[in-house]
């Protein structure tokens, strides 16, 4: 250890590197295996946490339900003939075989209502009143939190190494960051004091560029967590100064060596995701360690800025270059299973969803927001028993029959 410290080159904050020299150097450093630059073992077995996997099993159903939402709402009168479901589902690539769409809709009677057209005498499908109310609640929640969305977008662009990010990357991840469908107008163009929309120099892509940097936005979410831990639990200041909340999944084997390695890593200083690191010599071993921990902080902050504190690994990869994240993101996140959890459930293993572990407790968000609560209403409708829908329908028919009997009695009394 002493020889390692003797050979390590110290950081020189006075050494200035240009951006053209800095970016290849960071990329080369972060694409190297971290076995030489970290105290945490690089190869770790992935341990499943069923609370997050069960959450994603529900999300898998919700994802299909939302696709049918869009399909039905795109039709005239917001209704669709059952006979056209197979054709439209195949045309939109929803991944259903013949006759499967109709059977799928019947599984969720609280969301979809199948009825017979009074004139054409054929079966149609429409959304239930509860489903329409849920869609309205979510849209209203998204619009109400546009000021928060503006702040989130500013912080995300401040984390980039160039001060701008492709518009398409935010369009793809619009739902995760709670941005409205027309965010290009309602969030970007309506706030010229914060954002500027520019065209790419070599491509046709559009970029969102930040106008000025506000230092008050440079405070990370983990810093607020550290302050809370320090004030409420009385943790030693030196131990909590650069630490992250670590909560390993059940069944994760923690050896004595691994525990010591995590303790050393927790005390390791690092650069903030919002800090300009162009003035440091990044070729030393100490700089590699700080860059690695900075990458953890960047992903932590990225997840903290999402509405549900989760996002797919594939969408994190869109921000990899502009935020100087490592190339092998999955292997990198598996090194820190106490901070993040990767679930392969929810899309037949094709997508990997990354959760911020500290933000969840017993499968629910610790600090829920209005958009999250509106989306959970749809999950409740999806998971509600079909038998209850049948009972509710019988009660409605009974109530209508009861009201009709009362009207008949009133007419008899008046005669």
């Amino acid at each position: 250890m002493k020889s390692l410290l003797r050979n390590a080159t110290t950081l020189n904050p006075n050494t200035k590197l240009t951006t053209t020299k800095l970016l290849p150097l960071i990329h080369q450093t972060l694409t190297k295996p971290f076995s030489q630059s970290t105290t945490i073992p690089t190869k770790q077995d992935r341990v499943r946490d069923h609370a997050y996997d069960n959450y994603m099993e529900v999300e898998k159903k919700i994802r299909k339900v939302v696709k049918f939402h869009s399909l039905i709402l795109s039709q005239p009168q917001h209704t669709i003939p059952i006979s056209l479901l197979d054709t439209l589902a195949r045309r939109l690539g929803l991944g259903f075989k013949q006759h499967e769409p109709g059977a799928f809709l019947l599984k969720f009677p609280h969301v979809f209502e199948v009825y017979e057209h009074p004139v054409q005498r054929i079966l149609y499908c429409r959304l239930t009143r509860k489903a329409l109310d849920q869609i309205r609640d979510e849209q209203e929640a998204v619009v109400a939190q546009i000021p928060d969305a503006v702040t989130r977008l500013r912080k995300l662009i401040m984390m980039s190494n160039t001060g701008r990010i492709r518009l398409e990357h935010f369009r793809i991840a619009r739902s995760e960051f709670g941005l409205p469908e027309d965010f290009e107008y309602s969030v970007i163009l309506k706030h010229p004091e914060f954002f500027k929309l520019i065209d790419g120099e070599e491509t046709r892509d559009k970029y969102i560029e930040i106008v000025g940097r506000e230092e008050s936005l440079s405070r990370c979410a983990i810093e607020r967590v550290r302050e809370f831990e320090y004030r409420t639990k009385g943790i030693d200041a030196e131990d909590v100064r650069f630490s992250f909340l670590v909560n390993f999944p059940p069944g994760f084997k923690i050896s004595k060596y691994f525990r010591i390695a995590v303790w050393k890593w927790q005390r390791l200083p690092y650069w903030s995701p919002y800090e300009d690191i162009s003035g440091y010599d990044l070729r030393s071993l100490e700089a590699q360690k700080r860059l690695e921990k900075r990458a953890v902080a960047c992903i932590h902050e990225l997840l903290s800025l999402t509405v549900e504190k989760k996002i797919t690994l594939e969408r994190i990869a869109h921000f990899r270059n502009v935020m100087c994240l490592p190339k092998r993101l999955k292997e990198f996140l598996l090194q820190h299973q106490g901070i993040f959890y990767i679930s392969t459930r929810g899309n037949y293993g094709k997508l990997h969803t990354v959760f911020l572990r500290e933000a969840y407790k017993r499968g629910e968000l610790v600090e829920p927001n209005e958009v999250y609560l509106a989306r959970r209403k749809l999950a409740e409708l999806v998971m509600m028993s079909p038998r209850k829908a049948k009972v509710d329908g019988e009660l409605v028919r009974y109530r209508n029959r009861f009201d009709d009997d009362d009207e008949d009695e009133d007419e008899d009394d008046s005669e």
Side-chain angles (χ1 to χ4, degrees), residues 171-187:
R171 195 188 305 279
I172 294 173
R174 174 183 58 80
S175 177
E176 282 80 354
F177 294 114
L179 298 172
E181 292 185 4
D182 63 339
F183 77 96
E184 185 175 347
Y185 169 75
S186 60
V187 176

Side-chain angles (χ1 to χ4, degrees), residues 201-215:
E201 298 175 356
E202 300 178 356
T203 62
R204 296 181 179 179
D205 298 325
K206 289 185 177 181
Y207 290 83
I208 309 174
E209 191 173 85
I210 192 170
V211 178
R213 293 176 64 93
E214 189 172 332
E215 292 305 320

Side-chain angles (χ1 to χ4, degrees), residues 107 120 124 138 243 393:
K107 295 179 181 179
Q120 300 177 4
Y124 272 75
E138 182 175 349
S243 66

Side-chain angles (χ1 to χ4, degrees), residues 108-113 126-133 381:
F108 309 104
H110 295 278
V111 182
F112 305 105
E113 180 182 358
R126 62 189 175 194
L127 297 177
T128 63
R129 175 54 55 186
K130 292 180 180 179
L132 291 173
D133 291 343
L381 294 178

Side-chain angles (χ1 to χ4, degrees), residues 231-250:
R231 294 183 182 277
T232 58
K233 299 184 180 180
I235 301 177
D236 185 74
E238 190 64 27
D239 290 336
V240 78
R241 185 180 178 186
F242 303 107
S243 66
F244 290 81
L245 285 186
V246 175
N247 181 23
F248 292 105

Side-chain angles (χ1 to χ4, degrees), residues 364-382:
E364 296 290 338
L365 206 60
V366 176
E367 298 180 359
N369 52 73
E370 294 300 324
V371 178
Y372 168 81
L373 293 175
R375 292 175 180 175
R376 295 312 294 170
K377 290 180 182 178
L378 178 58
E380 293 174 1
L381 294 178
V382 169

Side-chain angles (χ1 to χ4, degrees), residues 9 74 100 151 179 250 278 283 311 327 366 375 377:
T9 305
S74 65
E100 278 188 354
T151 302
L179 298 172
S278 60
R283 294 167 293 184
I311 191 173
K327 187 174 182 179
V366 176
R375 292 175 180 175
K377 290 180 182 178

